[in-house]
Amino acid sequence: MFKRSVTQKVVVANAAGLHARPCLAIVNTVRRFKSRVEIRTDREVVDANEILQLMSLGAAEGTELVLTATGPDAQQVIAALVDLFANHFGLY
Amino acid sequence: MLQLARVVNGVITRNVESDGNVYVYVNPSEAERKYLAETFKLDEHTLNSALDPDEQGRMEFEPEHVAIIFKRPHNYSSEEEFVFRVTSAGLFLFQDKLIVILSESVPMFEGKAFTRISSLQELVLKIVYSSIAHFVGHLKVINAVSESLEDQINTSMQNKYLLDLFSLEKSLVYYLNAINSNSKLIERLKLSAAKIGFTAENIEFIDDLMIENSQCYEQASIYSNILASMMDARASIVSNNLNWLMKTLTIITIAIMLPTLVVSIFSMNVEFPGRTHPSMFWIVLFFATVSVFMVRIVWLWKRW
């Protein structure tokens, strides 16, 4: 079956970067959907469903990340993640 | 680094240029510390305590201000390999101003809790509240990381994930100590409410802080107990995984060893019956194959 793939660039706006709590917020968001999401920096690619991988990413403030979702609800998961990044991961 | 904010008529305005009554110093330089000690009469020892991660939470009354040292989680970075540390912060509350001393940059006065601030006293309580919320957030992360590590350990033969779990266990000990220290501080805040100038509403909020902090402590305590009690079991799983691998390798070795023995016997440079038989190659191959099946039969019979 054809799997839809959606890609979107986001920038880490948090002063502390992609630290512990944002990583958990990303994992919790991705787990609400069926699609598989990868996050790519200029150095590596990690599975957005794996908190261990996300926390090792060490993306600082201003880092550009490429989100790629593959699956039936790819569009929705990307929209939810973009919203999460824009709202500072719901921390404040 | 100094950031100025202003609390006027219940509203906090961040990053003001002048006329601020909230001074946030992030990792103050030597010159800034000297300025603070000379201008605002901050005790040098208390000022250093605010920047010392090993300092316990406490409160001290000075002639012109009250100094509050509280614990907060250290910003986690990927280099720390799952060790979540704690740090200290200082609040110096004067009649007309509040000086906040932080060892690292954290977003201050963000979120719903800071939308309405009636006084500097209330701001102090909300800063302590944000620290408790930060601890709770990190505890959730520790729990998620611990679950993820457990999944990895189920199939792992390395110590790496076990060592990461030890790091989490150590982090929880730091957190328990820090949260406990904050609980003592909150109790003291309540006992000194009149002296600090807390209103009835503020005291109600302190009660909420006590409940939140004790829940946070219990959560950390439960996670710590679970991690500690299951550590031996997880070490056994890793050891068991390694044993399974060794068993598989042994099966392969024995399965190869017996046919090799058969072929070796027939390869000896001595005379034996039927050496020149035209089908001798296939006969040797037959015995070698039979030996493999024999190993298999013994294996099943012994239920290894």
Side-chain angles (χ1 to χ4, degrees):
Chain A
M1 197 180 123
F2 175 73
K3 282 188 178 175
R4 194 166 176 207
S5 181
V6 178
T7 298
Q8 174 77 46
K9 281 183 185 173
V10 286
V11 175
V12 180
N14 281 40
L18 206 60
H19 56 100
R21 290 177 298 162
C23 289
L24 182 62
I26 291 171
V27 170
N28 287 340
T29 304
V30 170
R31 285 184 181 168
R32 293 194 343 245
F33 299 90
K34 289 176 186 161
S35 297
R36 178 186 154 81
V37 181
E38 281 182 350
I39 299 182
R40 184 187 300 269
T41 63
D42 52 358
R43 288 180 290 120
E44 56 186 313
V45 185
V46 297
D47 184 349
N49 200 22
E50 277 297 329
I51 193 162
L52 298 180
Q53 290 183 30
L54 270 177
M55 285 176 73
S56 67
L57 201 58
E61 183 188 14
T63 308
E64 191 179 79
L65 304 174
V66 182
L67 312 175
T68 307
T70 312
D73 47 9
Q75 190 71 55
Q76 289 93 316
V77 66
I78 289 292
L81 285 172
V82 169
D83 202 33
L84 195 68
F85 273 82
N87 291 317
H88 297 275
F89 307 98
L91 295 178
Y92 315 123
Chain B
M1 188 180 75
L2 171 66
Q3 296 163 9
L4 271 179
R6 187 168 47 221
V7 176
V8 180
N9 300 328
V11 178
I12 185 160
T13 316
R14 298 168 198 88
N15 302 321
V16 293
E17 294 293 323
S18 57
D19 298 332
N21 54 3
V22 181
Y23 303 73
V24 181
Y25 282 90
V26 179
N27 197 14
S29 63
E30 205 55 53
E32 285 174 325
R33 287 190 209 190
K34 202 173 168 196
Y35 170 79
L36 286 167
E38 284 173 2
T39 314
F40 300 112
K41 306 279 183 285
L42 301 191
D43 179 60
E44 210 172 319
H45 171 69
T46 315
L47 190 56
N48 288 334
S49 297
L51 299 164
D52 181 0
D54 298 324
E55 198 64 43
Q56 292 292 306
R58 67 169 195 274
M59 193 168 71
E60 279 175 27
F61 286 97
E62 299 287 344
E64 287 179 20
H65 67 269
V66 52
I68 299 163
I69 308 295
F70 68 100
K71 306 298 289 180
R72 49 170 302 276
H74 174 63
N75 284 344
Y76 179 84
S77 76
S78 57
E79 290 89 38
E80 281 163 309
E81 298 281 334
F82 304 114
V83 179
F84 290 77
R85 297 181 191 280
V86 293
T87 186
S88 304
L91 302 171
F92 297 84
L93 178 66
F94 292 75
Q95 198 69 40
D96 57 346
K97 61 183 157 290
L98 173 68
I99 299 172
V100 183
I101 308 287
L102 300 168
S103 55
E104 59 187 357
S105 181
V106 283
M108 293 292 292
F109 321 128
E110 303 279 355
K112 275 184 266 176
F114 293 96
T115 46
R116 179 136 193 97
I117 305 289
S118 60
S119 63
L120 291 173
Q121 281 84 349
E122 189 182 343
L123 183 60
V124 166
L125 296 179
K126 292 207 167 165
I127 291 171
V128 175
Y129 172 76
S130 72
S131 162
I132 298 170
H134 200 160
F135 273 119
V136 172
H138 272 204
L139 286 175
K140 286 178 185 168
V141 174
I142 287 174
N143 190 39
V145 170
S146 152
E147 282 176 7
S148 200
L149 285 172
E150 280 169 26
D151 291 344
Q152 299 287 343
I153 281 171
N154 288 341
T155 54
S156 173
M157 275 161 281
Q158 299 170 10
N159 287 335
K160 184 190 176 302
Y161 299 116
L162 272 180
L163 294 174
D164 288 341
L165 275 182
F166 279 124
S167 299
L168 287 184
E169 205 181 338
K170 193 165 74 174
S171 308
L172 284 169
V173 174
Y174 294 151
Y175 274 33
L176 279 170
N177 187 34
I179 296 163
N180 188 39
S181 175
N182 276 352
S183 83
K184 299 280 186 295
L185 171 75
I186 297 166
E187 276 172 32
R188 274 212 71 192
L189 281 173
K190 191 177 180 184
L191 290 173
S192 313
K195 213 170 169 185
I196 299 171
F198 287 133
T199 61
E201 206 176 308
N202 291 154
I203 293 169
E204 232 172 76
F205 189 63
I206 294 175
D207 287 334
D208 289 345
L209 283 183
M210 284 170 131
I211 294 168
E212 292 277 341
N213 199 62
S214 89
Q215 284 176 339
C216 179
Y217 183 85
E218 278 167 27
Q219 201 176 344
S221 180
I222 290 167
Y223 290 162
S224 177
N225 288 338
I226 291 172
L227 268 183
S229 61
M230 298 295 283
M231 198 55 86
D232 286 347
R234 284 165 192 143
S236 300
I237 290 172
V238 172
S239 176
N240 221 24
N241 289 344
L242 192 61
N243 288 344
W244 270 102
L245 176 75
M246 294 311 292
K247 187 182 167 183
T248 311
L249 291 175
T250 310
I251 295 169
I252 295 168
T253 309
I254 293 173
I256 291 171
M257 195 182 71
L258 270 181
T260 310
L261 177 70
V262 172
V263 173
S264 304
I265 290 168
F266 285 99
S267 306
M268 287 190 295
N269 197 15
V270 291
E271 283 300 323
F272 56 85
R275 185 182 181 87
T276 53
H277 193 281
S279 304
M280 199 57 195
F281 171 77
W282 298 109
I283 292 167
V284 173
L285 208 62
F286 171 76
F287 282 122
T289 312
V290 165
S291 70
V292 174
F293 281 106
M294 277 173 65
V295 170
R296 179 72 184 140
I297 288 163
V298 171
W299 198 272
L300 290 173
W301 180 50
K302 288 280 186 186
R303 294 184 182 174
W304 284 338

